Structures are given as structure tokens and as C-alpha cells.
Amino acid sequence: MKLTMVGTGYVGLVTGTCFAQMGNTVTCVDIDQAKVVGLKNGVIPIYEPGLEEMVRDNVKNGSLSFTTSLEEALKASEIVFIAVGTPMGDDGSADLQYVLKVARDIGRFMTRSLVVVDKSTVPVGTADKVKAEIAAALKARGADFSFAVVSNPEFLKEGAAIDDFMKPDRVVIGADDPAALETMRELYRPFIFINDRFIGMDIRSAEMTKYAANAMLATKISFMNEVANICERVGADVNKVRVGIGSDGRIGYSFIYPGCGYGGSCFPKDVQALGKTALDHGYTPRILQAVEDVNQDQKKVLGTKVVRRFGADLTGKTFAVWGLAFKPETDDMREASALTLIADLTGRGAKVVAYDPKAVREAREHYLKGNTLVSYAESKYEAVKGADALVLVTEWKEFRSPDFEEIAKLLKNKVIFDGRNQYSRDRLIPLGFEYHPIGVPDAPRA
């Protein structure tokens, strides 16, 4: 099939590239000319394992191309995806201005019947607005092309997005046009050939499914973090509690790992957007608000532990921070817990030496730009050298089994704060470390 993908952010670029990989002809459109030029030359603006090679291969074989002209892209397209950003507004709602602008432009430039797909994460009712914008633009130019709007929410995990797309748990399509639904089924057939996981439903239910899925996962995280905070106070070990409850098949082990809070572009935004939708319709979403409140507090837990150990005034102290991205296998720092920690430490006068396998450039050029108390190391051990303590924030694989004997030599004080419960107290205490994980009472200091 011939597809147009509007937006070359995380969702648009991964989706367009994976469709091209299966033999479709995909044109990705973006208004950022510098980004388009870079993509044509193999410069990938995000880090996602396997994406760079896949983009280059499909550009080379002609299945994937990039342009700034939506008008040109639409001339041959059968399906157009809207995959632009929906940033969070000040009131927590999703900002639809970019989605609706694309809808108007589709109406201005379409020259044939189209299936228009909402791929961006959007509130319930957005498809109706997209349909109205396209219809108004067609009417303004005196054109009468048929079109159908469908909802196709994405369920990609950063760091595993290509595998998620190529082997999906499910493909959710919301449509009120049977022909459009069948077109989408045919498009996704190669991805669900062995296991048919295609789920058709009405449009509003599909729009709601995306928000409900992310809110549910965020709820599990915040619930477990709340349990962890209770465990610390009553003398229980949350790691053992996790095993005890996860063995129940009704609960399972996914998303019940305690830590220092969730971040990224999805969970924080989607929880708040769903909450705002509820309020707009006269319902107070008490659980969603609690999920958000717990998460905001949880991001402060590591800083609180540091202050408890070293005091409120951290002037003259240096802390090694392992991990800047909000999760492993990505360079995405949006809403990352490391940002809250570093702001707390440097706000108290401390210096931070940070190391992350992929996110240092993002930190240096954007998120921590101008913070003169932050410097960056080339390796995890360089970050630790001479530091007063090590703080683990992101659970990259290279942090899972480090040389603790070497760390003991490099640290000024043998103190580790573990925001993802990656290590074992039984391993560290015999080496003379103070170990401060999440959800476990502090051991007595030697």
C-alpha cells in the first residue's frame, strides 16, 4: 500500500519505517526541513535500538522517503496517518492544535478518497473534530472526495518499539466505516499473520483504550511505590512482597517493580489528559489523581534519602548519578526522575557527575543546559571517581552487575542509593557499603 505518515517524531518514524519494512511505500512528512534533510542522509533524531539501520535500508531500497510537502505526499497515498505531537496543556489536557492543523491540510490537499488514521494519542472525541476539519476544508475548495477517519492507537514501548510493532500484542482499530476497517485489517495483516490480534471497535472506544491502558500501567507503578514506602516504615522488604503478590496470576509481575517514579512522554501526559477528560464530563477521577500525586512524590524519594544521610546543605559534596533517561534503551529524558533528583541535589549546593549510555547529549543540550554544577563522565566508573556517593536512577544493563570492588576504591564514601532496586544488600554490606534501596528499611550504619 501507499502510505503517508505526517510527523517524524517517535511514533511517526517508528511506524512509518516498520510499514516500509513490510513492503509498503511510505512517505514521511515533517515541517522541520532540517530534520527531513537529516533523515534523508541517515541522521536519526532519536535513539531506538535497530531503528537507524532499518531507516537506512528502506531509504536505500526506495520504500521509505521523507519530505516537507504534504501536498506531494498525498497525491499517491491510500492511507494517511496523523502522528504529530499532542503536548500537555497547562490544565493537563492534550493540545490538539497540531493534529487539527494536519486535518485541515489533508482537506486542502487530498485529491482522491482516503483513509485518515489518528495515530497520535488523542482524547475521546478527537476523530469527530478531525472529520469536521477535513470536511470544512473540502467544502471551502468546492471538492467532494470521500474519506473515513479511524483511530489506531499505538502501544509502543520505548527501547523495544520495533519489536512491539513487528510482533504486536494487539492492533486496535476504531472505525465506523466497514470498508475502512477492512483496509486497516489488510494493512496490518503481515504483522498478525500467525496470531490474529486485530481488534475492531467503535472510534471512541479505541481512543479511550490508549488512555486506559497507560493509566492502568501507571496505576500499578504508583501502587507498588506506595507499598514500598509503607514497607520502609513498617520494617518489611518490598522486594519480597513483590514476589509474594506477583505469583498471584491475577496480579502478575509486570509493572510492580518499585522505584523512583515513572516518566517519559506517555504515562505522565496520558494520566493527566484522561483525568482532565473525566473532569470535563462531570466526573472526578480520584484514582488517577492519586496515581499522579504518588508519582510526583516518588521522584523526590532519592533526594530525601540523600539528605537524610548527608544533611540538607550539600555544598562541597559530589554525587555520581548513573542514568539520565527515563528508562533504559532510550535517550528520552521527558519527565525523567533524574531531573527531579539533580535539581534537588544541585539546589542544595552539590555537584553532580552524570553518566548515561545514550542521554548525555539530551541532558547537555536541553534538559540540564545551564546547570553549571552538573558535569558528564565518559564511563560509569569515571563518574564514581572521588564522589561522596553513587545514585542509580536508570536501570541500564551495564549498571546491573558492576565491579563493586572497583567502585569501593573510587568512591570517597562507600554509599549507594539505588532508585531501581538493582543490587543486593547481601552482596554490598560485606564489602563495607551503605546501601539505600527503595522500599527496604535502612540497615544500621557501621
Side-chain angles (χ1 to χ4, degrees):
M1 293 185 178
K2 295 180 173 61
L3 316 176
T4 293
M5 186 70 55
V6 186
T8 60
Y10 186 85
V11 173
L13 188 57
V14 171
T15 302
T17 303
C18 288
F19 277 135
Q21 182 74 9
M22 284 298 192
N24 298 285
T25 301
V26 181
T27 303
C28 292
V29 180
D30 202 290
I31 61 173
D32 187 334
Q33 187 168 3
K35 181 190 282 189
V36 168
V37 170
L39 286 164
K40 287 180 176 180
N41 292 315
V43 178
I44 310 303
I46 59 174
Y47 173 73
E48 178 65 33
L51 181 61
E52 184 173 348
E53 298 83 356
M54 192 178 284
V55 169
R56 288 177 177 171
D57 288 347
N58 283 283
V59 169
K60 185 177 180 180
N61 68 29
S63 297
L64 182 64
S65 61
F66 302 93
T67 182
T68 57
S69 175
L70 178 59
E71 183 175 9
E72 288 297 316
L74 288 179
K75 287 179 179 178
S77 286
E78 304 163 71
I79 306 173
V80 54
F81 287 80
I82 301 176
V84 294
T86 53
M88 185 169 58
D90 293 338
D91 61 354
S93 63
D95 186 346
L96 295 178
Q97 62 173 310
Y98 305 113
V99 169
L100 298 181
K101 170 66 165 56
V102 172
R104 287 192 293 273
D105 287 345
I106 290 171
R108 289 172 57 207
F109 298 132
M110 62 188 291
T111 58
R112 57 182 294 177
S113 297
L114 284 175
V115 174
V116 180
V117 184
D118 283 337
K119 195 67 175 171
S120 301
T121 300
V122 293
V124 176
T126 298
D128 294 336
K129 296 178 181 180
V130 168
K131 189 181 299 183
E133 293 288 350
I134 296 172
L138 285 171
K139 183 178 180 180
R141 55 186 275 224
D144 188 25
F145 300 109
S146 64
F147 69 94
V149 177
V150 306
S151 174
N152 176 208
E154 56 85 15
F155 301 101
L156 306 178
K157 299 186 295 290
E158 292 193 40
I162 290 176
D163 198 50
D164 284 347
F165 198 96
M166 302 300 277
K167 305 173 197 173
D169 291 328
R170 75 283 207 199
V171 173
V172 173
I173 302 293
D176 55 16
D177 182 305
L181 183 65
E182 288 309 306
T183 296
M184 296 302 292
R185 188 190 301 275
E186 188 62 29
L187 175 63
Y188 275 104
R189 192 178 303 280
F191 301 93
I192 54 175
F193 185 75
I194 297 176
N195 295 305
D196 188 355
R197 296 178 176 179
F198 188 94
I199 304 172
M201 59 181 70
D202 64 275
I203 293 175
R204 287 182 173 240
S205 294
E207 291 172 332
M208 185 66 177
T209 296
K210 168 65 175 179
Y211 280 117
N214 278 351
M216 184 68 222
L217 296 175
T219 299
K220 291 185 75 173
I221 294 170
S222 281
F223 174 80
M224 204 63 204
N225 283 334
E226 186 142 88
V227 170
N229 294 333
I230 297 171
C231 283
E232 282 195 28
R233 289 159 174 78
V234 301
D237 183 334
V238 72
N239 299 304
K240 296 174 182 177
V241 173
R242 176 184 62 79
V243 174
I245 68 173
S247 59
D248 186 328
R250 298 168 300 174
I251 298 172
Y253 290 104
S254 297
F255 287 84
I256 62 167
Y257 287 82
C260 51
Y262 61 76
S265 63
C266 294
F267 288 4
K269 177 169 69 73
D270 293 354
V271 168
Q272 291 189 47
L274 182 56
K276 180 62 167 57
T277 296
L279 290 171
D280 288 345
H281 288 79
Y283 181 78
T284 301
R286 290 166 293 176
I287 291 177
L288 294 177
Q289 187 57 57
V291 168
E292 173 66 15
D293 290 345
V294 169
N295 190 58
Q296 290 303 316
D297 288 344
Q298 197 68 16
K299 291 181 178 182
K300 302 172 186 175
V301 165
L302 283 175
T304 299
K305 288 177 175 290
V306 171
V307 168
R308 188 184 304 144
R309 170 62 177 80
F310 288 98
D313 184 359
L314 299 177
T315 305
K317 303 292 184 183
T318 299
F319 296 93
V321 171
W322 281 4
L324 295 167
F326 86 93
K327 62 179 287 187
E329 302 300 331
T330 182
D331 61 354
D332 193 344
M333 289 184 62
R334 286 174 286 185
E335 302 287 336
S337 299
L339 295 174
T340 301
L341 170 69
I342 291 171
D344 189 2
L345 297 183
T346 58
R348 296 175 182 278
K351 293 180 179 179
V352 167
V353 182
Y355 171 71
D356 187 286
K358 295 295 178 183
V360 167
R361 186 178 71 175
E362 284 291 301
R364 182 182 282 124
E365 296 181 2
H366 302 290
Y367 293 96
L368 297 173
K369 184 179 181 180
N371 191 332
T372 58
L373 292 175
V374 180
S375 59
Y376 304 93
E378 295 294 325
S379 73
K380 59 181 179 287
Y381 296 119
E382 180 187 331
V384 169
K385 187 176 182 180
D388 288 278
L390 165 62
V391 189
L392 173 70
V393 184
T394 312
E395 64 275 31
W396 285 91
K397 289 179 181 177
E398 71 170 273
F399 300 153
R400 290 183 183 176
S401 186
D403 185 340
F404 289 113
E405 287 82 1
E406 181 66 16
I407 293 172
K409 295 175 186 175
L410 294 171
L411 279 174
K412 188 180 297 183
N413 305 294
K414 291 193 283 188
V415 180
I416 295 178
F417 299 93
D418 186 351
R420 300 297 176 185
N421 287 14
Q422 294 294 289
Y423 307 137
S424 164
R425 179 170 281 170
D426 292 340
R427 172 82 171 90
L428 293 175
I429 297 301
L431 295 174
F433 281 98
E434 288 179 36
Y435 180 51
H436 304 273
I438 302 291
V440 181
D442 286 339
R445 286 168 57 183

